[in-house]
């Protein structure tokens, strides 16, 4: 059995949440009336400025994103991406804040390649519809299994693509503070 994991890297995930889309999703999940108005107020009319040494920039209106460093920020982001799994037909997603992994298993490397590439195209379309971006250069995949299975599979590696760009294959990856290798050791 071949197992493949794609480690998805979103560009500035918390900073690019579209407020209008988020509010529509919150309403879909049943948040209405005063509660929705409160969240709309929480997201609206926010400003930021930056200080580097003694220089302070002028204030700028924040038009998208969820406040970071708050309790609500990660929760609002999770509600924003909560429907992402619905776009996937062949892989299993694992979502934790902005860390997303897609996994697929098959007895055939060709089948796993087709399944993953199909769902990566579905993911690309979902990201575009939700105004999020994938960092292709930091997105990677790993074939996992026993040392013997990995050795036998090394003669032809899967061709995993998104946006017509090859995703880098790795033999270890760091996710949620833990390094995982291709043998899961």
């Amino acid at each position: 059995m071949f197992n493949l994991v794609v480690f998805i890297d979103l560009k500035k995930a918390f900073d690019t949440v579209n407020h209008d889309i988020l509010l529509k999703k919150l309403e879909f999940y049943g948040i209405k009336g005063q509660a929705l108005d409160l969240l709309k107020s929480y997201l609206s009319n926010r400003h930021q400025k930056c200080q580097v040494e003694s220089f302070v920039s002028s204030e700028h209106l924040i038009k998208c994103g969820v406040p970071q460093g708050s309790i609500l920020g990660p929760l609002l982001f999770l509600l924003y991406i909560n429907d992402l799994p619905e776009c996937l037909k062949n892989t299993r997603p694992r979502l934790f804040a902005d860390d997303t992994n897609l996994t697929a298993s098959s007895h055939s490397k060709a089948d796993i390649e087709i399944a993953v590439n199909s769902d990566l195209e579905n993911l690309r379309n979902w990201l575009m519809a939700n105004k999020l971006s994938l960092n292709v250069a930091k997105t990677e995949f790993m074939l996992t299994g026993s040392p013997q299975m990995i050795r036998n599979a090394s003669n032809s590696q899967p061709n995993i693509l998104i946006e017509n760009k090859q995703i880098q294959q790795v033999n270890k990856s760091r996710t949620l503070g833990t390094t995982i290798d291709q043998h899961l050791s």
Side-chain angles (χ1 to χ4, degrees), residues 40-78:
K40 184 176 184 179
S41 172
Y42 178 72
L43 294 169
S44 301
N45 202 26
R46 298 180 73 90
H47 292 82
Q48 71 180 12
K49 57 185 172 181
C50 180
Q51 179 175 347
V52 177
E53 295 179 3
S54 63
F55 178 77
V56 180
S57 71
S58 57
E59 276 193 5
H60 291 280
L61 179 66
I62 300 172
K63 297 179 183 177
C64 62
V66 292
Q68 294 184 44
S70 69
I71 293 171
L72 275 181
L75 177 62
L76 291 172
F77 181 78
L78 286 173

Side-chain angles (χ1 to χ4, degrees), residues 52-156:
V52 177
E53 295 179 3
S54 63
F55 178 77
V56 180
S57 71
S58 57
E59 276 193 5
H60 291 280
L61 179 66
I62 300 172
K63 297 179 183 177
C64 62
V66 292
Q68 294 184 44
S70 69
I71 293 171
L72 275 181
L75 177 62
L76 291 172
F77 181 78
L78 286 173
L79 289 168
Y80 192 76
I81 64 166
N82 192 52
D83 61 336
L84 183 152
E86 293 175 25
C87 79
L88 304 171
K89 308 295 181 223
N90 307 298
T91 60
R92 289 181 306 277
R94 307 287 190 269
L95 304 164
F96 186 84
D98 62 337
D99 285 325
T100 301
N101 302 331
L102 305 181
T103 59
S105 300
S106 178
H107 291 287
S108 158
K109 278 194 296 183
D111 289 346
I112 214 168
E113 185 177 307
I114 291 166
V116 169
N117 283 330
S118 173
D119 269 1
L120 285 174
E121 179 62 19
N122 294 339
L123 175 67
R124 185 185 71 77
N125 291 329
W126 184 91
L127 290 170
M128 284 185 351
N130 287 277
K131 300 183 189 274
L132 294 173
S133 300
L134 184 69
N135 187 342
V136 178
K138 289 186 177 180
T139 295
E140 52 194 27
F141 79 92
M142 182 170 40
L143 203 55
T144 64
S146 69
Q148 180 183 359
M149 191 275 305
I150 297 293
R151 229 181 355 267
N152 292 343
S154 65
N155 56 1
S156 66

Side-chain angles (χ1 to χ4, degrees), residues 132-182:
L132 294 173
S133 300
L134 184 69
N135 187 342
V136 178
K138 289 186 177 180
T139 295
E140 52 194 27
F141 79 92
M142 182 170 40
L143 203 55
T144 64
S146 69
Q148 180 183 359
M149 191 275 305
I150 297 293
R151 229 181 355 267
N152 292 343
S154 65
N155 56 1
S156 66
Q157 299 304 328
N159 189 27
I160 306 301
L161 305 166
I162 192 161
E163 299 174 5
N164 291 319
K165 295 176 186 147
Q166 180 78 35
I167 295 177
Q168 177 185 358
Q169 182 174 1
V170 296
N171 55 20
K172 66 180 177 179
S173 184
R174 189 161 177 84
T175 183
L176 299 177
T178 304
T179 301
I180 300 171
D181 71 12
Q182 62 190 354

